């Protein structure tokens, strides 16, 4: 049985509908009329959110996640694990709140998967995701939260409970999520993870926000744009040994550190907004950091640039928003959205 209906979200493909937990998952037809009156009102802003990643995740064949496979809806932890770890491609819609057991477990995600919240109220509570040497994964429109341990030391070292950890992964898109109150890193991109785009997320209330590196190689490429990072202490992000790191239109607010280009990284920062940030942007001696167009307010400490870095526009097309528009843009558009995944 196949059910189709018009949609503006072209990442859905016409694949079999699947029933899980008593609900029928309808699959929109590709190329459907975007002006159809049957499109839900909540989808009115869908055109604001691209159907596919931009940045480095769009290069080298792109990142499509589970679009080649079936679309399923999951409402419990067992269903999430079943489809996330499967060998076959899947688009996995998360409906409602799923509690991870035991606390701190990171669900291992296999290649060719899309895990997407069905609207703005999809939560992964008490755990996160682990992408270990996999390719072509999309994690989108989820709130991932609450593994913080009250008895941990201040460095969050005793319990390695990350929001999203990637080791040796490639072609990954992390988009429109809210990740907060995790005991270790909110996002860790490790061991040469590459062709990564992190866009329109809220990284909030954490000690370690976004760590990148854990390698002596300088091969990784990543794009980090339109993210709100607030109330975090360190790694905002910390960028170690990345060949090409392009950061633009991000808003850092009330953070204990800023954008740090480490090791031999080559970093370009454009049109971002730093507010109440210690050391807004800075670099190691062997790293490159080019900054242009950003705004810094109520912030102290290092603002260091140097080196030639690289030209992001030689690798993909992108459009910069004015830096002074960034706080309002992200307050409205970052994090999970009601019109994504519906």
């Amino acid at each position: 049985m196949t059910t189709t209906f018009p949609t503006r979200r072209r990442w859905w493909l016409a694949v079999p509908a699947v029933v899980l937990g008593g609900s029928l998952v309808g699959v929109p037809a590709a190329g459907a009329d975007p002006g159809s009156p049957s499109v839900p009102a909540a989808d009115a802003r869908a055109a604001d959110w691209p159907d596919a990643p931009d940045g480095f995740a769009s290069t080298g064949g792109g990142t499509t996640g589970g679009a080649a496979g079936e679309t399923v809806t999951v409402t419990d932890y067992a269903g999430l694990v079943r489809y996330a770890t499967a060998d076959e491609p899947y688009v996995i819609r998360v409906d409602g709140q799923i509690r991870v057991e035991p606390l701190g477990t990171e669900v291992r995600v296999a290649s060719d998967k899309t895990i997407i919240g069905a609207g703005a109220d999809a939560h992964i509570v008490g755990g996160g995701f682990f992408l270990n040497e996999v390719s072509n994964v999309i994690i989108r429109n989820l709130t991932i939260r609450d593994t913080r341990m009250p008895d941990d030391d201040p460095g969050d070292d005793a319990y390695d409970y990350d929001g999203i950890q990637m080791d040796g992964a490639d072609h990954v898109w992390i988009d429109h999520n809210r990740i907060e109150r995790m005991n270790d890193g909110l996002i860790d991109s490790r061991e040469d993870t590459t062709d990564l785009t992190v866009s329109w997320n809220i990284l909030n209330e954490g000690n370690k926000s976004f760590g990148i590196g854990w390698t002596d190689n300088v091969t990784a490429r990543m794009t980090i744009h339109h993210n709100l990072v607030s109330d975090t202490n360190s790694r905002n992000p910390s960028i170690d040994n990345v060949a090409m790191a392009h950061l633009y239109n991000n808003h850092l607010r009330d953070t204990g550190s800023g954008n740090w280009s480490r090791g031999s990284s080559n970093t370009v920062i454009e049109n971002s907004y730093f507010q109440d940030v210690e050391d807004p942007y800075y670099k190691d001696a062997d790293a490159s950091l080019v900054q242009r167009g950003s705004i810094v307010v109520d912030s102290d400490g290092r603002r260091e640039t140097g080196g030639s870095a690289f030209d992001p526009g030689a690798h993909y097309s992108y459009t910069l928003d004015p830096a002074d528009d960034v706080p309002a843009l992200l307050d409205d558009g970052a994090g999970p959205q009601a019109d994504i995944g519906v």
Side-chain angles (χ1 to χ4, degrees):
M1 174 181 178
T2 300
T3 304
T4 61
F5 54 87
T7 184
R8 294 183 182 181
R9 306 302 299 155
R10 290 176 295 163
W11 61 265
W12 297 99
L13 297 180
V15 295
V18 176
V19 178
L20 287 178
S23 59
L24 177 65
V25 182
V27 182
D33 176 16
S36 168
S38 63
V39 175
D43 204 35
R45 291 182 57 208
D48 295 342
W49 315 127
D51 302 324
D54 51 12
F56 279 115
S58 70
T59 66
T63 302
T64 59
E70 295 180 352
T71 296
V72 298
T73 291
V74 298
T75 58
D76 58 27
Y77 181 55
L80 176 63
V81 171
R82 173 187 173 186
Y83 288 103
T85 61
D87 292 335
E88 302 82 8
Y90 282 104
V91 173
I92 305 163
R93 297 173 71 246
V94 176
D95 187 3
Q97 297 192 12
I98 292 178
R99 183 166 295 277
V100 175
E101 298 289 349
L103 179 71
T105 299
E106 295 173 9
V107 177
R108 289 184 173 255
V109 181
S111 295
D112 305 318
K113 300 294 184 294
T114 296
I115 304 175
I116 186 168
D121 298 322
H123 290 229
I124 306 298
V125 184
F129 296 101
F130 183 25
L131 282 59
N132 185 27
E133 298 185 358
V134 299
S135 181
N136 192 31
V137 173
I138 296 170
I139 299 178
R140 204 170 184 219
N141 212 48
L142 297 168
T143 294
I144 304 169
R145 61 178 175 86
D146 291 322
T147 62
R148 184 175 288 170
M149 299 294 289
D151 60 332
D152 193 12
D153 62 308
D156 286 346
D157 295 322
Y159 303 94
D160 185 12
Y161 299 164
D162 296 320
I164 300 173
Q165 178 177 319
M166 297 163 282
D167 285 2
D170 70 274
H171 290 89
V172 178
W173 185 27
I174 299 172
D175 178 70
H176 275 104
N177 302 288
R178 183 182 187 99
I179 309 175
E180 58 189 2
R181 298 186 298 275
M182 307 303 285
N183 195 78
D184 194 38
L186 303 182
I187 299 176
D188 278 352
S189 177
R190 304 165 23 125
E191 300 177 3
D192 308 319
T193 291
T194 192
D195 292 331
L196 168 69
T197 296
V198 179
S199 55
W200 293 97
N201 300 283
I202 297 173
L203 305 180
N204 184 53
E205 292 186 52
N207 183 28
K208 301 171 183 176
S209 172
F210 188 174
I212 305 166
W214 292 269
T215 179
D216 293 328
N217 302 318
V218 187
T219 58
R221 312 188 308 172
M222 58 191 61
T223 305
I224 303 165
H225 73 86
H226 290 95
N227 299 283
L228 171 59
V229 183
S230 66
D231 297 309
T232 59
N233 183 39
S234 62
R235 302 182 184 175
N236 294 309
S238 167
I239 307 160
D240 190 20
N241 285 342
V242 174
M244 300 181 193
H246 183 204
L247 286 64
Y248 69 92
N249 286 148
N250 297 298
H251 184 192
L252 273 65
R253 184 175 66 201
D254 297 319
T255 64
S257 65
N259 299 159
W260 181 11
S261 187
R262 299 177 57 195
S264 298
S265 290
N266 298 295
T267 303
V268 174
I269 302 170
E270 297 183 284
N271 287 29
S272 289
Y273 197 100
F274 299 88
Q275 180 180 3
D276 292 310
V277 175
E278 292 293 329
D279 301 323
Y281 46 86
Y282 55 109
K283 60 182 284 298
D284 287 356
D286 293 332
S288 294
L289 193 157
V290 171
Q291 190 289 125
R292 44 185 176 254
S294 298
I295 292 175
V296 179
V297 297
D298 298 327
S299 300
D300 298 319
R302 298 160 69 182
R303 305 184 200 181
E304 299 172 352
T305 60
S308 58
F310 65 100
D311 176 15
H315 301 275
Y316 52 80
S317 299
Y318 66 100
T319 301
L320 290 172
D321 290 307
D324 55 4
D325 290 348
V326 165
L329 279 173
L330 299 190
D331 283 344
D332 179 56
Q337 302 292 311
D339 54 0
I340 295 178
V342 295

